[in-house]
Amino acid sequence: MLKVFRDNLKRLAWVLWLVIAVFVLLVFADFNNTRTVANSPDSTAATVAGQAITFGDFQRQYRVVEDRWREIYGQNYTPDLARQLGLPMQAIDGLVSRQILLREAKRMGLESTAGEIRTAILGLDVLKDAQGRFIGYDEYKRLLVANRIEVADFERGIAEQALLEKLSGALAAGAWISDSAVEQAGRLEAETAAIRYLKLNAAGMPETAAASDQELAVYFDAHREDYRLPERRRIGYLSVNSNTVRAELEITPDELREYYQANQAEFTQEEQLRAQHILLFVGPQRTAEQAREQLTAVRERIASGADFATLAGEISEDDATKAQGGDLGFFPRGRMTPQFEAAAFGAAEGELVGPIENQLGPRTGFHLILVNAKRPGGVQPYETVENRIRVTLLNERARTESERRAKDLAERIAKEPAATEEALRAIAARETVPVEILEPAAADDALPGIGRSTPFARAAFAAEVGKLSEPIQIAAGWAIYSVLEIQPPRLPELAEVIEPVRADAQLERQNELARARLTEAKQALAAGKTFEQVAKDLGVELATSAAFRQDGAITGLGLARDVAAAALALETGSVGGPTAVADGLVLFEVTERTHFDPVAFAANREQTRERLRNERVDSLLQSVIEQRKRELEVTYSREFLANFGQDGQLPGT
């Protein structure tokens, strides 16, 4: 159902894709499979210049980002891959970028008119009937209500999307691409090669005798600039730890009861159920009767013992849930369409119902539904939520109290000198607060207990020596820091970097050995040996690549630009190398070669120009985002960072 929108988005640059279409992509999607967090959907995950981004906003954006990567990786998409990709950070950073670009568009005087919003809505395929006509205002409202979307919210989202596209258009209008740049890009795209190759990993070569002190000194002198030390700072800070403060606080039984009585809505649980489903659409490939008959046959297989989840993965046409066996998670009334909801909530726990006919936007579908579990609605008993209330109140008071104590401390010590470790420790002893002295670190280093590229780190690496800072929030609470020492950039002495020098010198020797062996192999090829024979002699696998360009990845080697350049300078059948790659050397033979065709290029010149213009717009948008992030106050809630294990590191800053 989202395919129409996704196909349109494929034309957009990555940055713009990430920050628009949140409302449109998700209007008819079920949010239950979105990664959930413990916070209320209305609580704040981040702010941009004081404007809140809620956890609800984040969960919707997370679903968009997750669906994007599911499309890219297909069956290879896993929760572990999601963690490696950092999807929560991509989602929240996309929302931050969205707010920044909306502000930028308004700053430029751009706006969306009522006519443009109307045209955009009327143009949405998902709001058209089988004849391509708008479904009508009443049906339009019904669809939004069925998906718990306010009409005003939806239309505001459409307006914001139009505004972002106007911003992109304004930037594109000023992105001039010369004919020479177009031809250069055309050549880069047209010139391709494929190779088969042998690779020797330098680390796999036999280790040579340890380098002598004199040899190390010679190597160091030749490469000394490689070991230049950046500016380093020694920083100390006084801290007010929120956990310590929380341990000192008490919440009385009366306060717990009072909070419970005053916040009944927070503890009111809607009736919910968890279900799996198998969905088949009616279309050119099958009639309604055929869909019903097919699901009836599937139901009989399930009744005979077949696994519902396995069948859902094989035949369901709901791309969002089939990989999870059709699991929809828990959902309340009002989340699904009326037909689906009536069937699911009318069934008993464990019951299989269907086929159920359902209208999903402009498309008709049939479902089999398996009801897995039910949760009754109503206000949760006080005893069930008592500890949750205690934790909530303790966390709120600990945050408030630790900030108050940090500000009081800052006022008391504001005029005291703190240029040395001894002075800072004396203040800490007198004020009975913890003090941490960090080892000298560079601006890009991760500071212990603080993280990398945090507001603390950025401020400390811009501060003068010996001045106590204002309180600044860190993962553990609040800190007041002082820069104790600034070590300027310098070239080190050998003794300071002896171990990395020793390792690098050894690796250079192993690279030389690998180069010598591949040079001998190249000579053997010239004398008549085959690549297969040479590979066997070296005890390595003969690998092959797909076609690649100068700026593209090579199968098994990644971005190996020197190999690509060498291969593109040769013709089919030529042998190249040994050529260095990141972890060794490569000897290769060119197996395929394509060249720039001026005639073919002339037919695609303007498409190439448009692609370059889109890339330029993407770069401009990213520059705007990065610049405004530095100028605007962008904050991320501690709850958000804690939910996703960021340990004080802020995404995208």
Side-chain angles (χ1 to χ4, degrees), residues 12 19 37 88 97 140 195 237 327 343 353 356 370 374 474 476 495 531 643:
L12 298 174
V19 299
V37 293
S97 298
Y140 162 67
I195 61 174
Y237 67 92
D327 188 8
V353 294
I356 303 297
L370 176 61
K374 288 192 169 186
I474 60 175
F531 249 89
N643 273 321

Side-chain angles (χ1 to χ4, degrees), residues 237-295:
Y237 67 92
L238 310 171
S239 67
V240 177
N241 188 292
S242 294
N243 288 333
T244 302
V245 172
R246 183 168 49 241
E248 300 172 3
L249 301 175
E250 290 185 6
I251 306 295
T252 67
D254 288 346
E255 289 173 320
L256 295 173
R257 283 282 184 182
E258 181 181 345
Y259 185 91
Y260 177 74
Q261 294 299 332
N263 296 275
Q264 289 283 289
E266 183 178 336
F267 309 111
T268 299
Q269 180 175 279
E270 297 179 88
E271 179 189 7
Q272 294 184 331
L273 64 78
R274 182 171 188 170
Q276 294 167 264
H277 81 135
I278 297 172
L279 169 65
L280 294 181
F281 282 114
V282 174
Q285 79 283 5
R286 70 169 67 86
T287 64
E289 188 57 33
Q290 288 171 331
R292 189 187 300 276
E293 290 175 357
Q294 188 174 346
L295 283 183

Side-chain angles (χ1 to χ4, degrees), residues 190-236:
E191 296 278 351
T192 69
I195 61 174
R196 58 177 184 164
Y197 62 89
L198 307 171
K199 177 185 173 186
L200 287 182
N201 292 322
M205 293 292 99
E207 291 193 9
T208 59
S212 66
D213 291 345
Q214 183 177 356
E215 289 171 326
L216 288 177
V218 170
Y219 179 88
F220 178 64
D221 286 341
H223 301 85
R224 191 171 184 181
E225 191 63 38
D226 295 342
Y227 301 97
R228 176 179 287 276
L229 299 176
E231 177 189 292
R232 294 174 181 270
R233 293 193 171 206
R234 191 161 174 261
I235 302 165

Side-chain angles (χ1 to χ4, degrees), residues 48 358 373 430:
V48 178
N358 193 10
R430 189 187 72 236

Side-chain angles (χ1 to χ4, degrees), residues 8-31:
N8 290 335
L9 286 173
K10 287 174 184 175
R11 301 198 303 266
L12 298 174
W14 173 264
V15 171
L16 193 57
W17 170 83
L18 191 61
V19 299
I20 74 170
V22 174
F23 288 92
V24 178
L25 275 169
L26 292 172
V27 165
F28 302 105
D30 168 25
F31 301 156

